[in-house]
Amino acid sequence: LLDLQPLPVTALGNREFESLYKFTHFNPIQTQIFHTLYHTDTNVLLGAPTGSGKTIAAELAMFRVFNKYPSSKVVYIAPLKALVRERIEDWKIRIEEKLGKKVVELTGDVTPDMRAIAQADLIVTTPEKWDGVSRSWQNRSYVQKVAILIIDEIHLLGEDRGPVLEVIVSRTNFISSHTSKSVRVVGLSTALANARDLADWLGIRQVGLFNFRPSVRPVPLEVHIHGFPGQHYCPRMASMNKPTFQAIRSHSPAKPVLIFVSSRRQTRLTALDLIAYLATEDNPKQWLHQDEREIEDIIATVRDSNLKLTLAFGIGMHHAGLHERDRKTVEELFVNCKIQ
């Protein structure tokens, strides 16, 4: 099925929408899902590897609403404030400035007034925030104007915050049944093992279920798995730091690396351990890919004391507890390959 002829962007049939894309053709995954997303109102579950253009799939579903139901609203739910921020930065330019649609962020960090939300065409929010807002749906006419709910990373249903997503989907269906205005649900995910179960729960028949295996990933991925024994969380986490340092040395000595850990505290502990391993090297500042004078100026603007220390060794930290300006500093240094 992935051998379909790539669909040209002109298939959108709308000059404004077409102008948002720098490429001329959709990729194989987008080509296959295009008709269902852009020409129907059926619920959709899309499981596809990271980097295969799921955000554009979300945009296709949005464009349908902008085209066919211009007085309705789009709600896009991302699980993390950092992901909401990323979408807002992109869509404020591409959808607000270029298309003239009002884009609003609704998170714990940013709570616009009710009038701004009521005037928005696209609301980008987190599960908890939308759960709180949609509870009072009878008194909030803008909740009743929602035509589509796009849930990114919907596979997180199985995690700690899964119940919130369950409540949101159930409430959306409940609102639909009481307002006789159906709300479309589009779920985006990495490749799923139990796609059929999730599709049944979302009320998706055969049309609307797309689950692409990891092998169709546009950028090939090498996987190395290293197992760790030990029942207790803290010692096990600590035992992973040295092998992590060695893995960076062997697999990516010069290109920037992301290390995911399971808590804010652990970001600090892992970063400090990595500094300890660097300290035994001939050049402890080898992960700092920038002039020391420049980095000192940047560090002077940082609020978090631990981050000041780690950045001096070319190591950034990123979590929800940091001030937004500190997070932005780390993101920019990492993206520009200034830190390892």
Side-chain angles (χ1 to χ4, degrees), residues 24-284:
T24 57
H25 289 75
F26 292 112
N27 73 23
I29 289 174
Q30 293 155 354
T31 297
Q32 192 172 326
I33 62 180
F34 178 85
H35 177 81
T36 307
L37 283 172
Y38 192 63
H39 290 296
T40 77
D41 283 321
T42 184
N43 286 357
V44 169
L45 175 61
L46 168 60
T50 305
S52 46
K54 291 193 288 290
T55 303
I56 288 168
E59 289 171 1
L60 295 176
M62 281 180 203
F63 295 160
R64 175 170 176 81
V65 175
F66 296 156
N67 238 352
K68 287 208 70 172
Y69 316 107
S71 60
S72 295
K73 297 189 186 306
V74 175
V75 173
Y76 179 94
I77 295 175
L80 301 170
K81 285 190 289 190
L83 295 176
V84 169
R85 209 42 275 142
E86 197 178 290
R87 287 292 95 239
I88 284 287
E89 284 175 16
D90 179 26
W91 286 337
K92 274 282 181 187
I93 295 166
R94 291 173 55 246
I95 289 178
E96 187 162 291
E97 283 181 27
K98 294 188 178 176
L99 278 189
K101 299 291 179 186
K102 190 87 182 74
V103 180
V104 158
E105 174 181 351
L106 183 60
T107 59
D109 288 352
V110 182
T111 308
D113 59 38
M114 288 305 169
R115 197 168 62 219
I117 302 172
Q119 289 170 350
D121 298 293
L122 168 58
I123 299 165
V124 187
T125 183
T126 54
E128 288 77 9
K129 205 69 184 171
W130 188 249
D131 175 35
V133 163
S134 60
R135 280 179 198 183
S136 313
W137 64 274
Q138 279 135 321
N139 310 324
R140 290 175 173 158
S141 57
Y142 62 83
V143 177
Q144 296 173 34
K145 283 187 177 171
V146 173
I148 184 170
L149 190 69
I150 301 168
I151 304 175
D152 204 353
E153 315 282 357
I154 198 168
H155 56 275
L156 295 176
L157 266 170
E159 302 292 318
D160 296 347
R161 301 159 83 196
V164 184
L165 290 176
E166 282 192 57
V167 165
I168 288 169
V169 173
S170 301
R171 187 180 296 126
T172 300
N173 293 334
F174 181 77
I175 295 169
S176 292
S177 66
H178 278 66
T179 57
S180 66
K181 176 177 177 286
S182 65
V183 181
R184 184 184 201 185
V185 178
V186 173
L188 307 174
S189 167
T190 52
L192 291 154
N194 60 339
R196 187 67 263 168
D197 295 342
L198 191 47
D200 289 341
W201 180 68
L202 290 170
I204 296 168
R205 305 282 170 273
Q206 202 50 50
V207 175
L209 172 58
F210 302 92
N211 193 28
F212 297 92
R213 63 187 66 237
S215 57
V216 303
R217 199 177 196 278
V219 180
L221 190 67
E222 254 184 54
V223 181
H224 306 265
I225 295 176
H226 196 132
F228 290 87
Q231 284 180 309
H232 301 294
Y233 173 79
C234 288
R236 192 170 69 243
M237 288 291 118
S239 70
M240 290 183 182
N241 293 336
K242 185 77 184 273
T244 299
F245 180 72
Q246 289 163 340
I248 295 169
R249 301 291 300 277
S250 55
H251 298 301
S252 189
K255 290 184 179 175
V257 172
L258 278 171
I259 302 170
F260 288 91
V261 296
S262 53
S263 71
R264 300 174 188 191
R265 177 173 175 268
Q266 197 59 50
T267 58
R268 185 179 78 250
L269 295 176
T270 296
L272 295 175
D273 258 9
L274 292 175
I275 291 173
Y277 299 131
L278 285 169
T280 64
E281 305 272 313
D282 293 339
N283 176 14

